Amino acid sequence: MPITPRDREILRLAVPAFGALVAEPLFLVADYAIVGHGLGTTAVGALGVAGAVLTTLINLCVFLAYGTTASVARQTGAGRHREAMRSGVDGMWLALGIGVALIVVGWPLAPAVVELFGAAPEQSEMAVTYLRISLLGTPAMLLVLAGTGVLRGLQDTMTPLVVAVASFALNAVLNAWFVLGMDWGIAGSAWGTVIAQSAGAAVYLVAVAKGAARLGIGLRPDLSGIRRAGTAGIALLIRTVCLRIVLLVATAVATRMGSAELAAFALASQIWTLMAFALDAIAIAGQALTGRALGAGDIAETRAATKRMVQWGLWSGVVLGLLVIAARPVIPGLFAADPQVTAELLAVLWPVALLQPICGIVFVLDGVLIGAGDQRYLAWAGVWNTIVFLPAALFAPDLVLLWCALGVWMVARLVALGTRAYGSAWLVTGA
């Protein structure tokens, strides 16, 4: 594909977004290494339990980033810069309110939630400690999501990259100091994360405050604006819940198959997730560019940009799939997998690789429709796609067919999103 000015605009947004997306899992690996080295296997298990709870909470709140990106980009495209910043401020207040609510609700429920995982008593105690301290950082985590959405909506993905790398690097340094140097135990790891997240949130607060001051926008909460942001986020929340249900059901089915199958599924899922980060970077560009073009009333540009980003998604998926096929013989060795796990993993990597081109198109169209503010359709599509997936997964007799069920789910998403994108109902222009 020859590089065009439109391609350069896509890459200008997508490349930094990719860096920000992969920064978090890379530095989380450092967290696990520090805890494992300083505190041992029991603490690593506790970190895994508490981390699973926190990751679920944050994933459910990702609408704070996506919804804010769409609204800010649309207002910016329409030339309504004051309204764009006002919607960004409303999104930040919504994030703060949800974060405080999670502390109030989550603190007393932490022991009961941890108990659901069935961990040993010592692990459970550590997990509750980590979870309760980390809950204090949830307002900061959600402010980072909303702040990221504001800047992406303003067509700036470089600043979120810098903030992500700096805050996660600070997290690694503080964790090493508190856990290994100060001997604070697993609480030290939690406090390091809270401080690093708060620092990242402070950067976004300053950036949004400066932008608001330049436009003469007040920072006081606007209840009607916060209500609008929350209402728009409900549909995206439903979409995200559907995604989580699919992943949880797939994990449960793999668990029922046996320990080797579960281990192979977990390893394949990590590979799938890493590639999803790469493809999701184009989707983030789709959110920003679609919102801006529709805000400006330019349907032709919206169509042209969507077509080009779909091409980028398709060919990116082809490249990633070929990389998986090429690396397939050596991947099990990277994880020191035993012979049974290796056999299962080698088999399942075929559908993982072959699904990547479909994933590339699906992720782009998902981002485009989010940028268009078509959240209600995405919510209903998420429900129907999940219904299609469940029987295929629940009756899968082996791991390959389980992954083929995930393929059925991806094809269902492709049909739902492709049909919508081909039509015109989502092409709503103006602010």
Side-chain angles (χ1 to χ4, degrees):
M1 294 189 298
I3 300 297
T4 67
R6 184 177 289 114
D7 292 325
R8 285 191 284 271
E9 181 74 355
I10 294 170
L11 291 174
R12 181 184 69 82
L13 295 170
V15 173
F18 171 72
L21 287 168
V22 301
E24 180 172 1
L26 291 177
F27 281 107
L28 284 176
V29 171
D31 286 356
Y32 275 92
I34 291 167
V35 169
H37 180 75
L39 303 175
T41 303
T42 300
V44 171
L47 181 59
V49 170
V53 177
L54 291 168
T55 299
T56 299
L57 291 176
I58 299 306
N59 285 340
L60 290 177
C61 293
V62 76
F63 68 86
L64 291 167
Y66 290 173
T68 305
T69 296
S71 62
V72 172
R74 180 177 286 270
Q75 298 286 356
T76 299
R80 296 163 55 111
H81 300 292
R82 286 176 56 87
E83 289 80 0
M85 187 55 68
R86 182 68 253 178
S87 64
V89 171
D90 293 337
M92 300 287 276
W93 276 110
L94 177 63
L96 180 61
I98 294 174
V100 172
L102 287 176
I103 295 175
V104 173
V105 174
W107 186 276
L109 291 179
V113 171
V114 168
E115 187 177 349
L116 293 175
F117 288 83
E122 186 180 0
Q123 275 186 329
S124 294
E125 184 179 352
M126 286 185 174
V128 170
T129 298
Y130 186 94
L131 181 57
R132 279 182 161 168
I133 295 172
S134 295
L135 281 172
L136 300 177
T138 51
M141 284 190 280
L142 301 189
L143 283 171
V144 166
L145 284 179
T148 299
V150 174
L151 295 186
R152 286 175 180 169
L154 296 173
Q155 317 297 296
D156 175 9
T157 56
M158 183 58 72
T159 301
L161 169 61
V162 173
V163 174
V165 173
S167 59
F168 288 123
L170 176 61
N171 180 38
V173 171
L174 289 176
N175 281 4
W177 181 25
F178 292 159
V179 174
L180 304 178
M182 303 289 289
D183 197 24
W184 285 5
I186 200 167
S189 179
W191 280 117
T193 301
V194 169
I195 293 171
Q197 288 163 345
S198 299
V203 174
Y204 283 112
L205 287 172
V206 170
V208 172
K210 286 184 176 179
R214 282 196 300 269
L215 296 169
I217 303 296
L219 296 178
R220 295 181 63 180
D222 178 0
L223 294 182
S224 61
I226 296 172
R227 191 180 303 112
R228 281 194 301 271
T231 302
I234 291 174
L236 286 177
L237 175 62
I238 294 172
R239 164 194 168 274
T240 304
V241 168
C242 290
L243 295 177
R244 298 300 298 178
I245 288 173
V246 167
L247 297 176
L248 288 173
V249 168
T251 302
V253 173
T255 303
R256 187 183 63 195
M257 292 177 182
S259 58
E261 287 84 354
L262 177 59
F265 179 83
L267 295 177
S269 296
Q270 291 302 311
I271 296 167
W272 175 282
T273 301
L274 182 61
M275 291 186 293
F277 283 138
L279 297 174
D280 214 28
I282 307 173
I284 287 171
Q287 293 174 24
L289 293 176
T290 301
R292 186 183 68 183
L294 288 177
D298 195 341
I299 290 180
E301 172 59 24
T302 303
R303 288 285 196 192
T306 298
K307 180 179 178 180
R308 195 57 170 171
M309 284 185 288
V310 166
Q311 292 174 343
W312 273 101
L314 171 62
W315 287 109
S316 297
V318 169
V319 171
L320 290 174
L322 291 174
L323 287 175
V324 172
I325 292 172
R328 178 176 166 272
V330 302
I331 287 176
L334 297 177
F335 298 99
D338 64 38
Q340 190 176 357
V341 174
T342 295
E344 294 285 351
L345 183 57
L346 288 174
V348 84
L349 285 176
W350 282 111
V352 169
L354 295 174
L355 285 172
Q356 291 312 301
I358 295 176
C359 292
I361 300 173
V362 167
F363 292 173
V364 167
L365 291 178
D366 195 49
V368 165
L369 294 179
I370 288 174
D374 203 20
Q375 290 96 331
R376 183 174 298 179
Y377 179 83
L378 291 172
W380 281 110
V383 172
W384 288 115
N385 294 336
T386 304
I387 292 173
V388 170
F389 163 78
L390 289 176
L394 293 175
F395 294 101
D398 57 49
L399 201 57
V400 171
L401 288 179
L402 174 59
W403 215 276
C404 288
L406 288 168
V408 170
W409 173 58
M410 291 304 300
V411 170
R413 293 183 68 190
L414 176 63
V415 171
L417 299 179
T419 301
R420 185 66 166 182
Y422 186 77
S424 58
W426 60 283
L427 292 168
V428 179
T429 60

